[in-house]
């Protein structure tokens, strides 16, 4: 089943985000320590109004377990969605961190797609991509 993520999914979502974005996860969390990266990614997932929020994530669930994710949002929301991450990074690191704004305008941006390696080759990524495309179309974004 593909469904909207919830804050309760955060601990299952964080490793999938890290698996997909590696060094970007270090930038977004202000650390290179894997355990802390996962903790901070999970924290962002539980929050609202940021690019990694559960609000922007669809999950593929099998047998009660999140096995894939897709993170999407409207391009015109990108700068606003990065501000809470920048503020939190300032709190965690004591310095301003530059985050590359990856999109803008009236597009439905696919930020991250990740499938648990144990479930690779089963069409889960394709299902998530289709669900994201359907959601973008529903919102009237290309």
């Amino acid at each position: 089943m593909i469904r909207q993520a919830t804050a309760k999914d955060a601990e299952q979502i964080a490793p999938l985000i890290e698996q997909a974005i590696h060094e970007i996860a270090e930038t977004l969390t202000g650390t290179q320590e894997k355990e802390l990266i996962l903790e901070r990614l999970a924290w962002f997932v539980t929050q609202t109004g940021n690019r990694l929020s559960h609000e922007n994530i669809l999950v593929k669930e099998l047998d009660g377990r999140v096995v894939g994710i897709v993170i999407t949002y409207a391009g015109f929301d990108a700068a606003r969605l990065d501000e809470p991450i920048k503020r939190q990074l300032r709190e965690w690191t004591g310095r301003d961190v530059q985050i590359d704004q990856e999109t803008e305008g009236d597009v439905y941006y696919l930020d991250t797609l990740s499938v648990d390696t144990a479930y690779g080759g089963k069409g889960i990524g394709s299902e998530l991509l289709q669900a994201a495309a359907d959601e973008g179309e529903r919102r009237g974004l290309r």
Side-chain angles (χ1 to χ4, degrees):
M1 163 178 65
I2 294 180
R3 63 172 173 79
Q4 184 66 47
T6 69
K8 292 178 182 177
D9 298 319
E11 288 187 17
Q12 294 180 68
I13 291 172
L16 293 170
I17 295 172
E18 194 277 333
Q19 170 185 285
I21 66 174
H22 307 288
E23 293 83 17
I24 297 170
E26 294 175 3
T27 300
L28 294 177
T29 60
T31 185
Q32 293 181 335
E33 184 185 326
K34 179 126 181 200
E35 189 173 316
L36 195 51
I37 288 170
L38 294 175
E39 179 182 308
R40 289 177 176 183
L41 288 173
W43 186 84
F44 281 127
V45 172
T46 67
Q47 303 302 299
T48 59
N50 72 78
R51 79 157 88 167
L52 301 176
S53 170
H54 61 277
E55 300 167 308
N56 300 317
I57 303 174
L58 295 176
V59 299
K60 172 71 174 186
E61 183 178 30
L62 289 174
D63 302 320
R65 183 166 176 248
V66 173
V67 298
I69 63 163
V70 63
I71 302 175
T72 56
Y73 46 85
F76 49 72
D77 289 334
R80 177 184 60 79
L81 292 172
D82 282 346
E83 285 307 311
I85 294 173
K86 290 177 185 177
R87 280 194 304 275
Q88 189 60 48
L89 281 171
R90 215 173 294 120
E91 188 173 314
W92 284 333
T93 67
R95 62 186 199 285
D96 288 327
V97 176
Q98 181 62 35
I99 298 175
D100 292 334
Q101 184 176 325
E102 299 174 351
T103 186
E104 61 184 22
D106 65 343
V107 299
Y108 198 54
Y109 182 67
L110 190 148
D111 182 288
T112 304
L113 174 68
S114 184
V115 176
D116 184 318
T117 56
Y119 292 85
K122 300 182 186 309
I124 293 169
S126 296
E127 286 182 62
L128 287 163
L129 285 173
Q130 187 59 58
D134 293 346
E135 180 63 18
E137 187 175 311
R138 188 185 70 71
R139 293 183 187 198
L141 298 167
R142 52 186 172 83

